Structure formats: structure tokens, C-alpha cells
């Protein structure tokens, strides 16, 4: 039924999955809360490298509108270290490490 489809036909294992839907990708891999202040009601997705064609999970980070705007303003220095720290920690936990 419709409910089971909602539960089982989500995420990258779904044949209809597309990482071009950057919000779905972001919130599949990251909690839907601002990584700076933990706002959960209104959450946007920021592309770390500012390339909107790069929708890899390690390039997407959830931010509230205020902190997203901070990043794109002269106040970037207030949030950028927190975002960088978050994504570095997330990457270490979620991306397989390869040994040279």
C-alpha cells in the first residue's frame, strides 16, 4: 500500500533515486537541523563548494536561513569554521577510508 512505499522506496537504493534532488540527498545523509544552531523548523541546504551541480553528500550541509545568509555575507567568518568542522567530522564517520 501507499504507506509501505513511503517506508521502503526512499534513499539511494531506490531505483527512482536521483542525487540531483539535493534536499532529499542532504536530509538522507544529514540530520534535518542547522549544523550551527540546531534549528529544525526551517532548514535550507548549503553547497559547501558553492557548485549547485555537485550534490554529493559531503558537499551538502543543512543550515537555517540565518546561518546560510551569514555564509554568503561579510559574516561568513562566524559560521565557516563550524561548518568546516561539522563536515570534516561527518566525512570521517561516513566516507570509507582507503589505505594508500
Amino acid at each position: 500500500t501507499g504507506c509501505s512505499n513511503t517506508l521502503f522506496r526512499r534513499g539511494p537504493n531506490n531505483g527512482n533515486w536521483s542525487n540531483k534532488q539535493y534536499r532529499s540527498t542532504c536530509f538522507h545523509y544529514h540530520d534535518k537541523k542547522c549544523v550551527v544552531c540546531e534549528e529544525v523548523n526551517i532548514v535550507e541546504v548549503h553547497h559547501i563548494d558553492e557548485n549547485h551541480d555537485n550534490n554529493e553528500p559531503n558537499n551538502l550541509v543543512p543550515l537555517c536561513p540565518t546561518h546560510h545568509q551569514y555564509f554568503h555575507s561579510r559574516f561568513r567568518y562566524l559560521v565557516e569554521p563550524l561548518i568546516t568542522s561539522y563536515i570534516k567530522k561527518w566525512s570521517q564517520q561516513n566516507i570509507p577510508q582507503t589505505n594508500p
Side-chain angles (χ1 to χ4, degrees):
T1 68
C3 293
S4 64
N5 282 338
T6 301
L7 295 174
F8 298 108
R9 296 197 43 90
R10 300 190 318 196
N13 294 327
N14 176 352
N16 295 323
W17 178 264
S18 168
N19 77 347
K20 291 182 181 181
Q21 299 168 342
Y22 67 94
R23 288 182 59 82
S24 297
T25 300
C26 182
F27 300 140
H28 177 78
Y29 290 97
H30 304 278
D31 290 338
K32 190 177 180 179
K33 66 180 179 182
C34 178
V35 302
V36 176
C37 70
E38 299 190 355
E39 163 69 47
V40 296
N41 293 318
I42 302 176
V43 183
E44 298 178 348
V45 175
H46 172 66
H47 288 79
I48 295 171
D49 68 3
E50 299 186 54
N51 175 358
H52 289 253
D53 293 325
N54 180 359
N55 296 320
E56 294 300 317
N58 62 346
N59 188 46
L60 303 173
V61 65
L63 295 173
C64 69
T66 298
H67 289 121
H68 196 183
Q69 191 63 35
Y70 268 52
F71 189 89
H72 295 288
S73 75
R74 64 187 172 115
F75 299 106
R76 178 180 190 153
Y77 71 95
L78 294 172
V79 297
E80 189 169 32
L82 300 169
I83 294 168
T84 301
S85 174
Y86 167 82
I87 205 66
K88 182 178 179 182
K89 183 178 178 182
W90 181 88
S91 293
Q92 290 172 343
Q93 295 172 349
N94 293 282
I95 298 188
Q97 301 296 315
T98 56
N99 294 325

